[in-house]
Amino acid sequence: MTHAVGDIRVAALYRFAAIADPKAVRDRLQAACEAGGVRGTLLVAGEGLNGTIAGPEPAIEALLAFIRTLPGFGDLDVKYAWTAEVPFLRLKVRVKAEIVTMGQPDLDPAREAGVYVSPADWNALIADPQTLVIDTRNDYEGEVGAFEGAVQPNTRSFRDFPDWFRTEGRALLDRTGAKRVAMYCTGGIRCEKATAFLKAEGVEDVHHLEGGVLRYLETVDARDSLWRGECFVFDERVAVGHGLTPGSHVLCRGCRMPVSEAGRTSPHFIEGVCCARCRDTRDDGQRQRYAERQRQMEIARSRGATHLGRGDGD
């Protein structure tokens, strides 16, 4: 089968479901990925499974078939995309305390999460003035793109979200008099866990975007969309637009942050070395190492090879 973008299938997945023996599941996932030449990251914890992987379609399908045999994973939802080459350099399958780190160990998102809202119904929900829309992603993600009118907590990591809500979010909810909260994130996992947190904090009417921004961009026509900008993704695609087409951002190899087309016009942007965000936080020795790494990458690219150092950074 020929695809418009490429023949490598990218699968983004997560599910909150109890896993009795995370290490045993991790070992089986590792073996299945290695057997099929699949790369990417999978995180396994007692609360569930999370990750994004890429590889040939038969290998991806075989791996997903195995995951769906696990108790509680039979109706696993997966978001797909196609690329010309695998957007990951390595395979990482790891056991973690949480599949998305919030630092709230008593939450049970599998049972306590808020109401799923499909992409088709999302516009009407967030257009309602009685709805407070909150972006649960990090600050740099919100800079790349966001839903119109959404509150940006500007947190540096998801672990900061509970403190933000307790110090600012609740006051905002009280001040606006909103009747409900709607939250979103890239693929759905962070906003789902955040709804469980808000419910534990006493907020009753909480909703989250099913499938996250990626499902919305995949299924909602751009002419009807309330999304503005692009959506940052945690792989070599950097950002995607409507239809999950490749975006215009690139990754700064110095700080691993996205850089827009405008940002690349800055005199402080040096491809593979630094950007305006990180230039003054790197010393001469670091910049020299980054420049050498970039040179080696360009040599490898000219030979049709992949240089593993392209994902490294201090």
Side-chain angles (χ1 to χ4, degrees), residues 4 11 19 54 90 127 139 151 164 189 197 220 243 279 292 295:
I19 295 179
R90 303 172 181 84
D139 50 4
V151 173
W164 173 84
I189 186 171
F197 170 75
V220 174
R279 178 182 180 274
E292 176 58 23
R295 190 179 74 85

Side-chain angles (χ1 to χ4, degrees), residues 141-284:
E141 297 174 83
E143 292 174 5
V144 173
F147 278 108
E148 192 173 280
V151 173
Q152 298 294 326
N154 292 319
T155 49
R156 296 296 302 273
S157 76
F158 188 52
R159 186 184 285 274
D160 298 331
F161 185 83
D163 284 344
W164 173 84
F165 179 76
R166 288 167 176 154
T167 59
E168 299 182 43
R170 182 177 293 281
L172 182 61
L173 188 59
D174 293 340
R175 185 167 65 252
T176 61
K179 294 183 177 179
R180 69 190 69 84
V181 174
M183 295 189 285
Y184 68 90
C185 62
T186 307
I189 186 171
R190 286 178 284 182
C191 56
E192 183 166 345
K193 197 163 191 176
T195 61
F197 170 75
L198 259 65
K199 290 179 69 176
E201 292 288 304
V203 183
E204 296 182 359
D205 198 355
V206 190
H207 305 253
H208 55 111
L209 177 58
E210 185 173 14
V213 179
L214 294 180
R215 179 62 50 78
Y216 182 92
L217 293 178
E218 181 183 21
T219 59
V220 174
D221 193 291
R223 294 170 295 183
D224 302 321
S225 177
L226 296 180
W227 180 261
R228 302 295 178 258
E230 298 173 354
C231 180
F232 178 80
V233 291
F234 294 89
D235 60 51
E236 290 295 321
R237 293 174 296 169
V238 185
V240 297
H242 285 89
L244 303 184
T245 55
S248 61
H249 287 71
V250 301
L251 203 65
C252 172
R253 302 296 172 182
C255 63
R256 307 295 297 166
M257 292 290 106
V259 184
S260 67
E261 290 179 311
R264 297 198 292 278
T265 66
S266 167
H268 299 314
F269 175 75
I270 303 174
E271 185 178 2
V273 179
C274 62
C275 65
R277 189 194 302 260
C278 70
R279 178 182 180 274
D280 293 334
T281 66
R282 300 295 188 267
D283 59 34
D284 289 341

Side-chain angles (χ1 to χ4, degrees), residues 112-124:
E112 300 167 355
V115 179
Y116 280 118
V117 180
S118 71
D121 297 328
W122 182 252
N123 283 1

Side-chain angles (χ1 to χ4, degrees), residues 291-310:
E292 176 58 23
R293 179 187 58 196
Q294 179 67 18
R295 190 179 74 85
Q296 293 296 331
M297 286 169 51
E298 292 173 356
I299 291 173
R301 187 181 301 119
S302 69
R303 296 172 177 170
T306 299
H307 185 267
L308 291 180
R310 72 177 183 175

